[in-house]
Amino acid sequence: MPRGKTAGKVLCKPARQLLFSEALRQQKHPSTADSPSPSHNTMLDDNQGASMDRLLQEISAVGRKLEVMDTAMTALTAETRSMRLEIAGFQSQISGLGHRVAAVESQVVLQTDRDQELLYLRSKLTDLEDRSRRNNLRFLGFPEGIEGTDILSYLRDTLPKLADIAFDPPLEFQRAHRLGLKRQNGKDCPRPIIACFLRHGQVCQLL
């Protein structure tokens, strides 16, 4: 075998092995230029962890706010329900008061009618009393017992003679009597006689 060819073959085999070994080394251990360093990976992990922590904190804060809002809404709902019940109670009370007011108004109307009727009756009674008093005459100076047992007959016979009047028709009385208690002593002042005439015209003639 010529020396030159043998040397060429000997030289080619180690070169191939060297290139193959370098390729394997690069595959197993990538260069520092292509792969990030451990410190860079740690910083990325820290940043991601911090972002996740902030996100979790924000979510937790939102959850707490929602809980507070839920509690407030529950309280508001309970208060609204209580207000509705109170309003319903007020409405029932107002309805009851309305019925009572209507009853009182009807009673007031009846009482007003009764008051008017009472005023009318009082006026009529006053008028009758006045008319009755207008027919009353009081006589003084008649001795006690002079009228006897029939005072109406005594007045019917005596008054025309004392007044010197001829009454036509004759005097008529509703009633006549002496005022006060009977005197025990005949010397005391005699009691007056009050007589209620039946006709007012006869009273006017005597006056």
Side-chain angles (χ1 to χ4, degrees), residues 29-48:
H29 301 288
S31 61
T32 57
D34 296 333
S35 61
S37 62
S39 62
H40 182 69
N41 292 332
T42 303
M43 291 177 63
L44 291 176
D45 293 339
D46 292 339
N47 291 333
Q48 292 178 355

Side-chain angles (χ1 to χ4, degrees), residues 52-120:
M52 291 298 294
D53 291 338
R54 285 195 300 271
L55 183 59
L56 291 175
Q57 291 177 0
E58 291 178 358
I59 293 173
S60 178
V62 171
R64 288 192 296 270
K65 291 181 179 179
L66 290 176
E67 290 179 357
V68 172
M69 291 177 65
D70 187 24
T71 303
M73 287 297 296
T74 303
L76 183 60
T77 303
E79 186 176 359
T80 304
R81 187 180 296 109
S82 177
M83 291 178 65
R84 287 180 179 176
L85 293 176
E86 291 180 358
I87 291 172
F90 290 153
Q91 288 178 348
S92 62
Q93 291 179 1
I94 290 171
S95 178
L97 289 175
H99 293 305
R100 293 177 62 182
V101 168
V104 170
E105 286 178 349
S106 62
Q107 292 180 0
V108 167
V109 172
L110 293 176
Q111 187 65 35
T112 303
D113 295 339
R114 291 175 182 174
D115 291 341
Q116 292 178 355
E117 183 179 2
L118 181 60
L119 289 175
Y120 174 75

